């Protein structure tokens, strides 16, 4: 399918959509909208779309609700669905780390882990209402961050 | 947990990590590295990390391989795991759309759907070797993209 030789690959600009699958859309929407501050772009019985800074979108799908293809005027959106605890990480500025710790505590969200990375960054981990493993991380984690 | 009143939320800069769960790490790594052109940042028996333009990272986890917490010198990485077909979308520049169509065809990857959005953007959908639903999308899709 993908050859072993040199391949000229068209450009990608970045991550646009990252998806989580949840039992209760309204509960998850409130968590990501109120706790993490993302802007509500769209919601229906199947999904919620939340705007993330820097041009990305967090998609929340109701578990079992996006299995089928969806026919739209402009084409068809293929079905997908998942179960389990998915990991997602959001970048935060260094100066916001202590504010995030205080904010999570004030909101009654337990920090399940605090991780110091070899490159100097720090991550806080916590769970969303569906058990998805959410991380907020300062710079100093990956070669590009 | 999260009150209904006005809450001051610390800043998020963007999406840092988006995760997929795959049966065969090497197969998925080759797909995202060779076909989509992401840079290999890290790999071990548990996971592969690939650099995505604009400071994001695509994480591929071996299904069943990241269930347990991982103790590191700097802290503990919480466990997570998922099954199913997860959706992920990558942003592409407008001028790369036809190149992406040609590239996917040349690599023998079927475009499962082509979607024209009300805001003017176009998406191509295809599957990775594990059936995850991958989208590449031009601008003109969401209020922030």
């Amino acid at each position: 399918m993908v050859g072993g030789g040199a391949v000229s690959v068209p450009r990608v600009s970045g991550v646009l959509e990252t998806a989580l699958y949840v039992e209760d859309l309204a509960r998850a929407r409130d968590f990501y909208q109120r706790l993490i501050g993302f802007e509500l772009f769209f919601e229906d019985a199947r999904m919620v779309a939340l705007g993330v800074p820097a041009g990305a979108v967090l998609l929340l799908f109701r578990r079992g609700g996006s299995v089928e293809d969806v026919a739209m005027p402009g084409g068809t959106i293929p079905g997908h669905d998942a179960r389990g605890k998915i990991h997602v990480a959001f970048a935060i500025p260094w100066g916001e780390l202590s504010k995030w710790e205080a904010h999570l505590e004030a909101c009654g969200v337990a920090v399940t882990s605090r991780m110091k990375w070899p490159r100097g960054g720090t991550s806080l981990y916590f769970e969303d209402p569906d058990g998805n493993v959410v991380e907020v991380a300062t710079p100093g984690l990956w070669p590009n961050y």
Side-chain angles (χ1 to χ4, degrees), chain A:
Chain A
M1 171 207 64
V2 183
V7 179
S8 171
V9 178
R11 276 196 295 152
V12 164
S13 317
V15 168
L16 174 60
E17 297 168 356
T18 186
L20 299 174
Y21 300 81
V22 302
E23 287 299 325
D24 184 327
L25 273 179
R27 182 179 65 173
R29 177 202 63 208
D30 284 357
F31 184 86
Y32 287 99
Q33 187 180 14
R34 293 184 188 169
L35 180 79
I36 310 199
F38 297 154
E39 182 186 358
L40 183 63
F41 278 174
F42 176 81
E43 67 179 321
D44 64 10
R46 174 177 158 264
M47 64 174 285
V48 167
L50 296 160
V52 179
V57 177
L58 175 66
L59 300 180
L60 308 173
F61 293 97
R62 189 169 52 78
R63 285 177 185 157
S66 57
V67 176
E68 303 297 327
D69 294 356
V70 178
M72 302 268 285
T76 296
I77 302 173
H80 49 85
D81 192 41
R83 292 284 193 288
K85 298 181 173 196
I86 293 178
H87 172 62
V88 64
F90 300 106
I92 62 169
W94 251 115
E96 301 288 288
L97 180 63
S98 60
K99 294 177 196 169
W100 269 104
E101 289 191 298
H103 178 62
L104 292 168
E105 186 176 355
C107 294
V109 176
V111 171
T112 54
S113 184
R114 192 182 205 279
M115 181 73 199
K116 179 81 178 172
W117 299 97
R119 284 188 175 81
T122 295
S123 294
L124 305 177
Y125 291 88
F126 52 96
E127 295 191 358
D128 78 3
D130 291 277
N132 293 302
V133 175
V134 184
E135 174 185 357
V136 290
T138 71
L141 208 161
W142 294 106
N144 66 345
Y145 178 72

